[in-house]
Amino acid sequence: MTETVSTAGPHAATSGLDLSTLSLMLEALDDFIAASLTPELQLELDHEDRCPEDIVRAMSDPDTLGVQLVFIPEEFGGMGGSAWDSYRVCEAMARKDIGLATAVFATFLGSDPIVFGGTPEQQEHWLTRIAGEGLVFAYGATEPEAGSDLGAMTTTAERITADDGTVTAYRITGRKQWISNGSIADFSTVLAATEDGPSWFVVPQDSAGFSSGPPEDKHGLRLSNTSALYLDDVEVPADHLIGEVEGKGLVQAQNVFGYTRLMVAAFGLGGGWEALDRSLAYSVERVQGGSPLSEKQGFTHKLIVPWAVRLEAARSFIEHTATRLDAGAGAEGALNTEGAIAKYMSTEAGIAAADAAIQAHGGYGYTRPYVVEKIRRDVRITTIYEGTSEIMEMTIARDRWQRHLKSGGRHYSDMADRLEAMHAAQPSAGADIAALACRALAVVLEACRTGRLTRNQHVLFRLGELIAWTETAAVFVTKAAAAAEQSLHEKCLSRFDADALAVMSRVFAREAAQKVALEGTRWVAGASEPGSAQLTTIGDVPTARIMAAQAGLVTDLDTVRDILYAPFGSGSPLSATG
């Protein structure tokens, strides 16, 4: 799974905070939110659809908490956190409240064009103020009609020139939609079309002609302020053009997707695990038919175990991507696809885990006091903002399709070879099963090539899904093997030991391999005409070996269950039948 990396870019080759400093920040964050946002207040704010601006600003106050310092380079007064640090902080915030997490993330996102595209003078001015004054930012990219298609925006920035032709200012006109912190930010970074192309501008919230709409009435994320921004001939000085060169806006936006999507992935992970942990605790106490739900295999193996496995599989890909970003591989958008896989797998798993948590709580799960219904509403947005799941599928499929073509169809076969070599050294992690998923995927992709099946957009998107599952399986078994060799990253959570990671990675690898074998061949056949050559090709998918690899699955599910419930005092395997 190794890749050649660059050492360029704002997040290049950084180890970030030392482990003790990160631990202190996470502890301080936990203490602050526990004191500031009681469960009663949280439910009240959610019910009233009200953003606690005082808490948002206190979180950004360097004299109170200063959580934004993690995201700001040291030379500008921040802590210079790494991608690993940012992921851990974002997960911790999401476990408390994804709305509050979004408010903090919006300032980070709003400052990103400055970090990645600002002149040294602009970086010094704005980033130092965010660090030292706790300024709240918004990120104004999305528009009502354009949605996620930044190239289709209609907001414009017209040059204002002096008599000698020098550009002195810009006049911005347009509308932005779904803007986090839109009504409460001190400044917004706004993407607008100039004569030379899309460009970012820093716009003070008190500028003449700049206003925000009422807060959106949202399905979830109700502790986050979200509103439209209206720009009616808003004038900003020329030095508010980020980078002071027009036309760099889309490049600057693309350069950060690998990083920002990793943070949203952490939101999905945090929300999913919070819901799942509430279900674990509830099932130990809730007695049905004379015994706790936790002792019923029909309950645990449907509503608990699968989601713990998927969340930890997704975590492994977040950590894999964070490691590469911190090694300097994020230059020029090099990890957009990895960020997309991390976001796709984590947010989809987060939603599924939260949905299962409602079911696990029965009727209580459908009520506000048990919180899981709120988590389910909140985590839903993670598959939409910073790129929908469908955009993630497209991003993944297009990039990996090109790798398949350029490698002569060898990309995933070569990955399978590496996994099989890993299995020889660490046979317990399931690397051999992940290798089967890779080999099946290679056959499916080649069948799509010979049949020109990617002309069907739906087929392309389904390939994106299968690729994400396959690569996540490969990364998860790699993490499990590293745990067995005691070579995990020092900032890994210690909740699951090497044996636990091995059994969970085996479970996930089985599911990934089966998914590719069954769904991959289904879509090849479904997009083909009867008698097409590719229908013969998919016979090379190692379906029989993948089915044989399912042997032992239920035993492994039992083991995962016992691991999850061990902290509750279960000293022996739970009943298989309940």
Side-chain angles (χ1 to χ4, degrees):
M1 300 302 297
T2 58
E3 303 277 354
T4 301
V5 300
S6 164
T7 57
H11 298 287
T14 176
S15 59
L17 310 181
D18 60 63
L19 183 58
S20 61
T21 302
L22 174 61
S23 299
L24 287 172
M25 170 55 79
L26 293 173
E27 182 180 346
L29 178 65
D30 186 75
D31 291 344
F32 175 85
I33 296 180
S36 302
L37 188 68
T38 64
E40 295 77 15
L41 176 58
Q42 184 181 41
L43 289 176
E44 178 185 329
L45 292 168
D46 177 72
H47 182 65
E48 296 178 358
D49 194 9
R50 178 161 52 92
C51 170
E53 183 178 352
D54 56 337
I55 297 178
V56 173
R57 291 193 175 278
M59 290 178 72
S60 300
D61 185 342
D63 294 326
T64 305
L65 182 63
V67 68
Q68 84 283 3
L69 298 176
V70 175
F71 307 106
I72 297 175
E74 287 184 274
E75 59 265 37
F76 306 118
M79 300 173 69
S82 64
W84 261 88
D85 300 322
S86 298
Y87 130 63
R88 291 291 309 277
V89 168
C90 282
E91 182 189 4
M93 289 193 297
R95 290 198 63 137
K96 298 298 182 181
D97 192 280
I98 297 178
L100 278 183
T102 297
V104 174
F105 176 71
T107 289
F108 161 66
L109 189 59
S111 67
D112 247 1
I114 303 169
V115 173
F116 284 83
T119 65
E121 293 77 16
Q122 289 173 332
Q123 292 173 342
E124 175 69 29
H125 176 76
W126 295 110
L127 299 179
T128 300
R129 291 191 63 189
I130 292 171
E133 301 174 33
L135 296 177
V136 174
F137 263 65
Y139 182 79
T142 305
E143 296 193 359
E145 302 302 324
S148 298
D149 184 3
L150 300 184
M153 66 179 175
T154 59
T155 300
T156 59
E158 178 187 355
R159 296 171 183 169
I160 300 174
T161 60
D163 292 340
D164 62 0
T166 303
V167 178
T168 60
Y170 289 86
R171 185 179 294 112
I172 306 175
T173 300
R175 177 180 174 181
K176 299 295 180 179
Q177 190 76 31
W178 318 121
I179 308 304
S180 298
N181 292 351
S183 300
I184 67 171
D186 302 304
F187 296 88
S188 297
T189 45
V190 173
L191 189 64
T194 65
E195 290 184 23
D196 290 339
S199 307
W200 288 101
F201 296 87
V202 178
V203 183
Q205 208 76 350
D206 59 2
S207 300
F210 193 24
S211 61
S212 60
E216 301 286 354
D217 186 4
K218 305 188 296 295
H219 170 66
L221 210 72
R222 293 164 74 85
L223 272 69
S224 170
N225 172 266
T226 308
S227 67
L229 299 180
Y230 304 100
L231 299 101
D232 185 11
D233 292 337
V234 176
E235 291 190 15
V236 296
D239 63 5
H240 281 42
L241 166 63
I242 296 177
E244 298 187 354
V245 177
E246 295 178 9
K248 302 293 185 182
L250 295 186
V251 173
Q252 291 163 353
Q254 288 287 336
N255 279 349
V256 304
F257 279 154
Y259 193 82
T260 58
R261 286 172 177 166
L262 200 70
M263 303 308 110
V264 177
F267 288 174
L269 185 68
W273 260 117
E274 180 63 22
L276 194 63
D277 278 333
R278 287 174 179 269
S279 298
L280 284 165
Y282 177 81
S283 65
V284 170
E285 300 297 329
R286 180 64 169 169
V287 174
Q288 288 283 316
S291 61
L293 289 173
S294 60
E295 295 184 7
K296 300 179 185 298
Q297 191 186 68
F299 174 90
T300 58
H301 288 26
K302 179 183 179 183
L303 300 177
I304 301 293
V305 173
W307 316 117
V309 169
R310 289 191 190 181
L311 286 167
E312 285 308 295
R315 181 191 300 280
S316 72
F317 208 94
I318 291 175
E319 293 174 348
H320 165 73
T321 307
T323 298
R324 293 194 58 209
L325 283 167
D326 291 338
E332 299 180 0
L335 295 185
N336 283 352
T337 303
E338 286 75 6
I341 293 174
K343 181 181 185 296
Y344 181 75
M345 296 300 294
S346 300
T347 59
E348 292 289 341
I351 285 179
D355 198 61
I358 292 177
Q359 193 75 10
H361 282 74
Y364 292 111
Y366 206 61
T367 63
R368 291 178 57 241
Y370 280 77
V371 183
V372 290
E373 70 86 29
K374 175 186 179 299
I375 295 172
R376 175 61 176 79
R377 286 186 288 107
D378 287 350
V379 78
R380 184 67 182 84
I381 191 63
T382 63
T383 64
I384 298 174
Y385 64 8
E386 273 302 282
T388 64
S389 287
E390 292 68 36
I391 289 176
M392 299 302 100
E393 289 174 344
M394 178 179 65
T395 299
I396 296 162
R398 284 180 173 175
D399 180 67
R400 294 318 198 229
W401 178 248
Q402 290 301 313
R403 290 199 183 188
H404 175 78
L405 297 179
K406 291 177 180 178
S407 67
R410 289 293 312 170
H411 180 70
Y412 288 103
S413 296
D414 290 344
M415 188 179 293
D417 290 343
R418 295 193 294 271
L419 289 168
E420 287 168 354
M422 182 188 302
H423 176 70
Q426 292 292 342
S428 66
D432 56 333
I433 308 173
L436 289 173
C438 291
R439 297 205 183 281
L441 181 60
V443 173
V444 168
L445 289 172
E446 188 60 14
C448 287
R449 184 191 68 80
T450 58
R452 302 177 67 189
L453 304 184
T454 56
R455 291 176 296 176
N456 297 283
Q457 188 184 60
H458 185 60
V459 170
L460 185 69
F461 279 27
R462 299 284 53 79
L463 290 178
E465 178 186 17
L466 299 180
I467 290 165
W469 274 76
T470 299
E471 293 201 21
T472 299
V475 166
F476 197 13
V477 300
T478 301
K479 177 179 178 177
E485 297 169 355
Q486 299 184 331
S487 60
L488 286 177
H489 195 289
E490 67 171 356
K491 293 176 184 176
C492 276
L493 291 171
S494 59
R495 180 170 184 170
F496 300 113
D497 64 15
D499 290 339
L501 290 173
V503 68
M504 294 173 91
S505 66
R506 289 198 303 271
V507 170
F508 187 82
R510 288 188 183 98
E511 186 174 12
Q514 177 180 318
K515 188 177 185 71
V516 176
L518 298 185
E519 295 184 21
T521 54
R522 177 194 181 201
W523 290 115
V524 168
S528 301
E529 296 297 327
S532 299
Q534 61 270 14
L535 294 179
T536 301
T537 302
I538 57 175
D540 293 333
V541 171
T543 305
R545 293 170 62 195
I546 288 171
M547 292 302 104
Q550 306 302 315
L553 173 59
V554 174
T555 298
D556 280 350
L557 294 176
D558 289 342
T559 303
V560 174
R561 172 202 57 197
D562 295 344
I563 290 165
L564 292 170
Y565 283 101
F568 296 92
S570 176
S572 59
L574 297 167
S575 167
T577 58

